[in-house]
Amino acid sequence: MVPTWTEPLATAASAPIGGPLGRHAAIGRHWFWTPLRVALLLAVIGLAIGWFGKAACVQQYFNEGTKELELDWRSNRPFTAMCYSDIIPLYSAERLNTGGFPYQTSWVDDEGKPTAHVRYMEYPVLTGMFQWVNAKLADGWLAIADAGWLPTGIPVTIFFDISAFWLALAWLVTIWAVARTARLRPWDAALIAASPLLMVHAFTNFDTLATAFAATGLLAWARRRPVLAGILLGLGGAAKLYPLFLLGPLLVLCLRAGRTRDWARTALAAILAWAAVNVPIMFAFPRGWWEFFHRNSLRAADPDSLYNVVSQFTGWAGFDGPLGFQETPVWLNGVSALLFLLCCAGVAFIALQAPVRPRLAQLCFLVVATFLLTNKVWSPQYSLWLVPLAVLAVPRWRILLAWMVVDALVWAPRMAFYLGDDKKGLPIDWFLSFVVLRDLVVIALCVLVVYEIYHPARDLVRRGGGDTPLDDPGGGVLDGAPDRLTLLVTGFRRTPPPEKPPENAKPAAI
């Protein structure tokens, strides 16, 4: 696949450097610049832009009152400079600066107030341990810096920079895995490398860890290594839950292809990998381990959620009405879970009823996208989850770039809204209008994916084989496998396996 021949966006972008590749050009002979290495270079540039975008929030100043260096968040810098990152306040909010062990250490928020409550680390175990290890590395860095061997700074700045290094490496792993999975279209990985969402949200939180596990899990499945795929998806689920959702599309496609044993091996490996990370913490510090689930059950509709959009534009009080402190939004939790399950059922129906078995990446994108659309929380960095899946599912450069630009632009009105009216921030309607636009674009992508599932001739990945249409280059054992179970309008249809001739059968006479 030569992008300047097939992608209008790449064709236009090539004009400053001489235009599209010539028809008689020698391809694939350069000793160094492969599509993957170009994508990784673009990613390093994009990650550098992302780091500089957050750097304003780790600047220091000398406090004349305390006579110490402090983090310069004066004058609402995180919102005016649009550099906010969860990583920075979490260093103290999660008590990483005290040296305590996550899930064991507890503290009281709002101490002395009616809203006082006991808190623990609120992240899944792998992400929580990632933060703790980086905090210890920051302590070690500062100890060496005190001896004059390294440049120094305040602890939270060192913690942020160390975390950003590993998160950047995780995104590079994501690009590598997608490029290997999309082996017939390796240039598509450049979309992940140059994504505006990368530049805005790579260091907003710790989500690139999960994208790396999800992408490498899909690569392992594409390489027909179901156990390794399960291990990687299970570890991803221990960082963020969404990689475990990918087991659903795998199950439905394996049912259709009659490869349920491969799915069972993957699912078992995922459960064991998740348990290996979680069970020790679960038994040693059960209350601390449960904090992630407890805090998420208490959360109301996030500002970025459709429930909040409807509430703000219509005056609707929500499914649960006004809630008091620490009250669980039971109806909101139930409705969001039910809507997601209904969407998953719809994706399963499409997978079993489509005339040609869908590709794995198509269903994975639909499942994760519908989760974000129906969930009560869509933190801005969650959009990173969709980037590698979208590139694998619907590699149409102009369309994907348009979505990523719109999604990244939501950050600006969000930061301006958080300033508040008293500080000349934007009204909430501006922010919610961008949220609605973002959601509509994601829905349009889902519609496009479903259209290409039912019209496989329009699927650019299936057309990558030239005159011979492809099945699913990233499908692993599913690639080229015959259907065994499909869903007709009147019910299920089992496709019998091809009959084998008896071992003692004689060839027919000529």
Side-chain angles (χ1 to χ4, degrees), residues 265-290:
R265 294 166 64 194
T266 301
L268 179 60
I271 293 171
L272 292 177
W274 182 90
V277 174
N278 282 268
V279 168
I281 302 297
M282 186 191 309
F283 281 101
F285 316 111
R287 178 62 185 85
W289 176 83
W290 180 249

mmCIF file of all heavy atoms in Angstrom, residues 265-290:
data_model
loop_
_atom_site.group_PDB
_atom_site.id
_atom_site.type_symbol
_atom_site.label_atom_id
_atom_site.label_comp_id
_atom_site.label_asym_id
_atom_site.label_seq_id
_atom_site.Cartn_x
_atom_site.Cartn_y
_atom_site.Cartn_z
ATOM 1 N N ARG A 265 -8.878 -20.539 25.461
ATOM 2 C CA ARG A 265 -7.489 -20.411 25.906
ATOM 3 C C ARG A 265 -7.130 -18.953 26.152
ATOM 4 O O ARG A 265 -6.465 -18.622 27.143
ATOM 5 C CB ARG A 265 -6.557 -21.016 24.855
ATOM 6 C CG ARG A 265 -6.702 -22.532 24.688
ATOM 7 C CD ARG A 265 -6.015 -23.007 23.433
ATOM 8 N NE ARG A 265 -4.571 -22.787 23.487
ATOM 9 C CZ ARG A 265 -3.767 -22.865 22.429
ATOM 10 N NH1 ARG A 265 -4.292 -23.114 21.234
ATOM 11 N NH2 ARG A 265 -2.483 -22.673 22.557
ATOM 12 N N THR A 266 -7.597 -18.080 25.259
ATOM 13 C CA THR A 266 -7.321 -16.654 25.430
ATOM 14 C C THR A 266 -8.004 -16.114 26.679
ATOM 15 O O THR A 266 -7.396 -15.384 27.472
ATOM 16 C CB THR A 266 -7.802 -15.878 24.190
ATOM 17 O OG1 THR A 266 -7.123 -16.373 23.039
ATOM 18 C CG2 THR A 266 -7.523 -14.393 24.336
ATOM 19 N N ALA A 267 -9.279 -16.460 26.859
ATOM 20 C CA ALA A 267 -10.034 -15.958 28.007
ATOM 21 C C ALA A 267 -9.440 -16.463 29.320
ATOM 22 O O ALA A 267 -9.318 -15.706 30.300
ATOM 23 C CB ALA A 267 -11.502 -16.371 27.894
ATOM 24 N N LEU A 268 -9.062 -17.728 29.357
ATOM 25 C CA LEU A 268 -8.470 -18.288 30.575
ATOM 26 C C LEU A 268 -7.149 -17.600 30.895
ATOM 27 O O LEU A 268 -6.876 -17.251 32.060
ATOM 28 C CB LEU A 268 -8.269 -19.794 30.412
ATOM 29 C CG LEU A 268 -7.631 -20.515 31.622
ATOM 30 C CD1 LEU A 268 -8.490 -20.348 32.865
ATOM 31 C CD2 LEU A 268 -7.413 -21.998 31.294
ATOM 32 N N ALA A 269 -6.330 -17.385 29.869
ATOM 33 C CA ALA A 269 -5.050 -16.697 30.092
ATOM 34 C C ALA A 269 -5.283 -15.268 30.580
ATOM 35 O O ALA A 269 -4.554 -14.770 31.452
ATOM 36 C CB ALA A 269 -4.231 -16.691 28.799
ATOM 37 N N ALA A 270 -6.308 -14.603 30.041
ATOM 38 C CA ALA A 270 -6.607 -13.232 30.470
ATOM 39 C C ALA A 270 -7.036 -13.205 31.934
ATOM 40 O O ALA A 270 -6.602 -12.344 32.705
ATOM 41 C CB ALA A 270 -7.704 -12.636 29.585
ATOM 42 N N ILE A 271 -7.889 -14.142 32.319
ATOM 43 C CA ILE A 271 -8.357 -14.195 33.713
ATOM 44 C C ILE A 271 -7.193 -14.461 34.658
ATOM 45 O O ILE A 271 -7.058 -13.823 35.717
ATOM 46 C CB ILE A 271 -9.440 -15.278 33.860
ATOM 47 C CG1 ILE A 271 -10.704 -14.863 33.087
ATOM 48 C CG2 ILE A 271 -9.773 -15.525 35.326
ATOM 49 C CD1 ILE A 271 -11.736 -15.958 32.988
ATOM 50 N N LEU A 272 -6.328 -15.392 34.278
ATOM 51 C CA LEU A 272 -5.198 -15.727 35.143
ATOM 52 C C LEU A 272 -4.211 -14.558 35.245
ATOM 53 O O LEU A 272 -3.666 -14.290 36.321
ATOM 54 C CB LEU A 272 -4.494 -16.976 34.610
ATOM 55 C CG LEU A 272 -5.292 -18.287 34.705
ATOM 56 C CD1 LEU A 272 -4.512 -19.433 34.071
ATOM 57 C CD2 LEU A 272 -5.637 -18.610 36.155
ATOM 58 N N ALA A 273 -3.974 -13.859 34.127
ATOM 59 C CA ALA A 273 -3.062 -12.710 34.160
ATOM 60 C C ALA A 273 -3.638 -11.593 35.025
ATOM 61 O O ALA A 273 -2.927 -10.970 35.828
ATOM 62 C CB ALA A 273 -2.803 -12.209 32.738
ATOM 63 N N TRP A 274 -4.939 -11.335 34.863
ATOM 64 C CA TRP A 274 -5.582 -10.312 35.685
ATOM 65 C C TRP A 274 -5.523 -10.699 37.160
ATOM 66 O O TRP A 274 -5.237 -9.866 38.022
ATOM 67 C CB TRP A 274 -7.024 -10.132 35.232
ATOM 68 C CG TRP A 274 -7.778 -9.069 35.977
ATOM 69 C CD1 TRP A 274 -7.867 -7.747 35.644
ATOM 70 C CD2 TRP A 274 -8.530 -9.234 37.178
ATOM 71 N NE1 TRP A 274 -8.633 -7.081 36.565
ATOM 72 C CE2 TRP A 274 -9.054 -7.961 37.524
ATOM 73 C CE3 TRP A 274 -8.810 -10.318 37.998
ATOM 74 C CZ2 TRP A 274 -9.847 -7.763 38.650
ATOM 75 C CZ3 TRP A 274 -9.604 -10.121 39.130
ATOM 76 C CH2 TRP A 274 -10.106 -8.859 39.438
ATOM 77 N N ALA A 275 -5.788 -11.978 37.434
ATOM 78 C CA ALA A 275 -5.779 -12.443 38.821
ATOM 79 C C ALA A 275 -4.380 -12.386 39.422
ATOM 80 O O ALA A 275 -4.214 -12.076 40.605
ATOM 81 C CB ALA A 275 -6.336 -13.865 38.893
ATOM 82 N N ALA A 276 -3.365 -12.694 38.620
ATOM 83 C CA ALA A 276 -1.994 -12.676 39.136
ATOM 84 C C ALA A 276 -1.615 -11.293 39.640
ATOM 85 O O ALA A 276 -0.846 -11.158 40.603
ATOM 86 C CB ALA A 276 -1.024 -13.133 38.044
ATOM 87 N N VAL A 277 -2.148 -10.257 39.006
ATOM 88 C CA VAL A 277 -1.862 -8.892 39.435
ATOM 89 C C VAL A 277 -2.756 -8.484 40.601
ATOM 90 O O VAL A 277 -2.309 -7.828 41.551
ATOM 91 C CB VAL A 277 -2.042 -7.919 38.254
ATOM 92 C CG1 VAL A 277 -1.892 -6.470 38.707
ATOM 93 C CG2 VAL A 277 -1.031 -8.227 37.154
ATOM 94 N N ASN A 278 -4.028 -8.868 40.545
ATOM 95 C CA ASN A 278 -5.017 -8.350 41.494
ATOM 96 C C ASN A 278 -5.151 -9.153 42.774
ATOM 97 O O ASN A 278 -5.364 -8.563 43.845
ATOM 98 C CB ASN A 278 -6.388 -8.266 40.812
ATOM 99 C CG ASN A 278 -6.518 -7.064 39.916
ATOM 100 O OD1 ASN A 278 -6.972 -6.007 40.332
ATOM 101 N ND2 ASN A 278 -6.117 -7.216 38.662
ATOM 102 N N VAL A 279 -5.059 -10.480 42.688
ATOM 103 C CA VAL A 279 -5.368 -11.305 43.860
ATOM 104 C C VAL A 279 -4.442 -11.014 45.050
ATOM 105 O O VAL A 279 -4.919 -10.914 46.191
ATOM 106 C CB VAL A 279 -5.339 -12.800 43.481
ATOM 107 C CG1 VAL A 279 -5.367 -13.683 44.722
ATOM 108 C CG2 VAL A 279 -6.535 -13.126 42.591
ATOM 109 N N PRO A 280 -3.127 -10.855 44.862
ATOM 110 C CA PRO A 280 -2.294 -10.545 46.037
ATOM 111 C C PRO A 280 -2.734 -9.272 46.758
ATOM 112 O O PRO A 280 -2.786 -9.237 47.997
ATOM 113 C CB PRO A 280 -0.892 -10.404 45.435
ATOM 114 C CG PRO A 280 -0.923 -11.218 44.183
ATOM 115 C CD PRO A 280 -2.302 -11.052 43.649
ATOM 116 N N ILE A 281 -3.064 -8.234 45.997
ATOM 117 C CA ILE A 281 -3.522 -6.982 46.617
ATOM 118 C C ILE A 281 -4.914 -7.178 47.214
ATOM 119 O O ILE A 281 -5.227 -6.638 48.286
ATOM 120 C CB ILE A 281 -3.534 -5.847 45.581
ATOM 121 C CG1 ILE A 281 -2.146 -5.656 44.995
ATOM 122 C CG2 ILE A 281 -4.030 -4.555 46.201
ATOM 123 C CD1 ILE A 281 -1.097 -5.231 45.981
ATOM 124 N N MET A 282 -5.746 -7.944 46.532
ATOM 125 C CA MET A 282 -7.106 -8.171 46.998
ATOM 126 C C MET A 282 -7.129 -8.816 48.382
ATOM 127 O O MET A 282 -7.916 -8.442 49.257
ATOM 128 C CB MET A 282 -7.850 -9.066 45.991
ATOM 129 C CG MET A 282 -9.333 -9.257 46.290
ATOM 130 S SD MET A 282 -10.049 -10.570 45.262
ATOM 131 C CE MET A 282 -9.522 -10.084 43.619
ATOM 132 N N PHE A 283 -6.258 -9.794 48.594
ATOM 133 C CA PHE A 283 -6.238 -10.500 49.881
ATOM 134 C C PHE A 283 -5.440 -9.727 50.936
ATOM 135 O O PHE A 283 -5.789 -9.745 52.118
ATOM 136 C CB PHE A 283 -5.658 -11.902 49.704
ATOM 137 C CG PHE A 283 -6.645 -12.870 49.140
ATOM 138 C CD1 PHE A 283 -6.619 -13.207 47.795
ATOM 139 C CD2 PHE A 283 -7.612 -13.453 49.945
ATOM 140 C CE1 PHE A 283 -7.535 -14.092 47.262
ATOM 141 C CE2 PHE A 283 -8.536 -14.343 49.431
ATOM 142 C CZ PHE A 283 -8.509 -14.667 48.082
ATOM 143 N N ALA A 284 -4.379 -9.044 50.512
ATOM 144 C CA ALA A 284 -3.561 -8.316 51.484
ATOM 145 C C ALA A 284 -4.249 -7.037 51.958
ATOM 146 O O ALA A 284 -4.224 -6.712 53.149
ATOM 147 C CB ALA A 284 -2.198 -7.991 50.877
ATOM 148 N N PHE A 285 -4.884 -6.315 51.023
ATOM 149 C CA PHE A 285 -5.511 -5.033 51.365
ATOM 150 C C PHE A 285 -6.884 -4.949 50.691
ATOM 151 O O PHE A 285 -7.065 -4.187 49.732
ATOM 152 C CB PHE A 285 -4.626 -3.866 50.906
ATOM 153 C CG PHE A 285 -3.171 -4.042 51.220
ATOM 154 C CD1 PHE A 285 -2.247 -4.245 50.209
ATOM 155 C CD2 PHE A 285 -2.721 -4.032 52.543
ATOM 156 C CE1 PHE A 285 -0.910 -4.416 50.487
ATOM 157 C CE2 PHE A 285 -1.376 -4.203 52.832
ATOM 158 C CZ PHE A 285 -0.464 -4.410 51.803
ATOM 159 N N PRO A 286 -7.850 -5.726 51.160
ATOM 160 C CA PRO A 286 -9.140 -5.803 50.462
ATOM 161 C C PRO A 286 -9.852 -4.461 50.345
ATOM 162 O O PRO A 286 -10.431 -4.161 49.302
ATOM 163 C CB PRO A 286 -9.942 -6.793 51.312
ATOM 164 C CG PRO A 286 -9.243 -6.852 52.626
ATOM 165 C CD PRO A 286 -7.807 -6.591 52.343
ATOM 166 N N ARG A 287 -9.805 -3.666 51.390
ATOM 167 C CA ARG A 287 -10.511 -2.375 51.314
ATOM 168 C C ARG A 287 -9.830 -1.441 50.312
ATOM 169 O O ARG A 287 -10.503 -0.745 49.539
ATOM 170 C CB ARG A 287 -10.547 -1.720 52.698
ATOM 171 C CG ARG A 287 -11.212 -0.346 52.730
ATOM 172 C CD ARG A 287 -12.673 -0.400 52.317
ATOM 173 N NE ARG A 287 -13.258 0.930 52.236
ATOM 174 C CZ ARG A 287 -13.185 1.724 51.172
ATOM 175 N NH1 ARG A 287 -12.543 1.318 50.082
ATOM 176 N NH2 ARG A 287 -13.755 2.917 51.180
ATOM 177 N N GLY A 288 -8.516 -1.413 50.308
ATOM 178 C CA GLY A 288 -7.811 -0.578 49.352
ATOM 179 C C GLY A 288 -8.009 -1.052 47.924
ATOM 180 O O GLY A 288 -8.162 -0.239 47.000
ATOM 181 N N TRP A 289 -8.034 -2.370 47.736
ATOM 182 C CA TRP A 289 -8.243 -2.912 46.389
ATOM 183 C C TRP A 289 -9.631 -2.558 45.870
ATOM 184 O O TRP A 289 -9.811 -2.246 44.693
ATOM 185 C CB TRP A 289 -8.071 -4.432 46.404
ATOM 186 C CG TRP A 289 -8.371 -5.081 45.091
ATOM 187 C CD1 TRP A 289 -7.527 -5.199 44.031
ATOM 188 C CD2 TRP A 289 -9.607 -5.681 44.689
ATOM 189 N NE1 TRP A 289 -8.158 -5.841 42.985
ATOM 190 C CE2 TRP A 289 -9.432 -6.155 43.370
ATOM 191 C CE3 TRP A 289 -10.837 -5.877 45.315
ATOM 192 C CZ2 TRP A 289 -10.446 -6.792 42.677
ATOM 193 C CZ3 TRP A 289 -11.861 -6.511 44.622
ATOM 194 C CH2 TRP A 289 -11.660 -6.968 43.317
ATOM 195 N N TRP A 290 -10.620 -2.532 46.739
ATOM 196 C CA TRP A 290 -12.003 -2.293 46.339
ATOM 197 C C TRP A 290 -12.264 -0.817 46.032
ATOM 198 O O TRP A 290 -13.293 -0.480 45.434
ATOM 199 C CB TRP A 290 -12.939 -2.776 47.443
ATOM 200 C CG TRP A 290 -14.395 -2.596 47.147
ATOM 201 C CD1 TRP A 290 -15.265 -1.738 47.747
ATOM 202 C CD2 TRP A 290 -15.163 -3.306 46.165
ATOM 203 N NE1 TRP A 290 -16.524 -1.854 47.210
ATOM 204 C CE2 TRP A 290 -16.484 -2.817 46.225
ATOM 205 C CE3 TRP A 290 -14.861 -4.298 45.230
ATOM 206 C CZ2 TRP A 290 -17.496 -3.285 45.405
ATOM 207 C CZ3 TRP A 290 -15.875 -4.768 44.404
ATOM 208 C CH2 TRP A 290 -17.163 -4.266 44.505
#
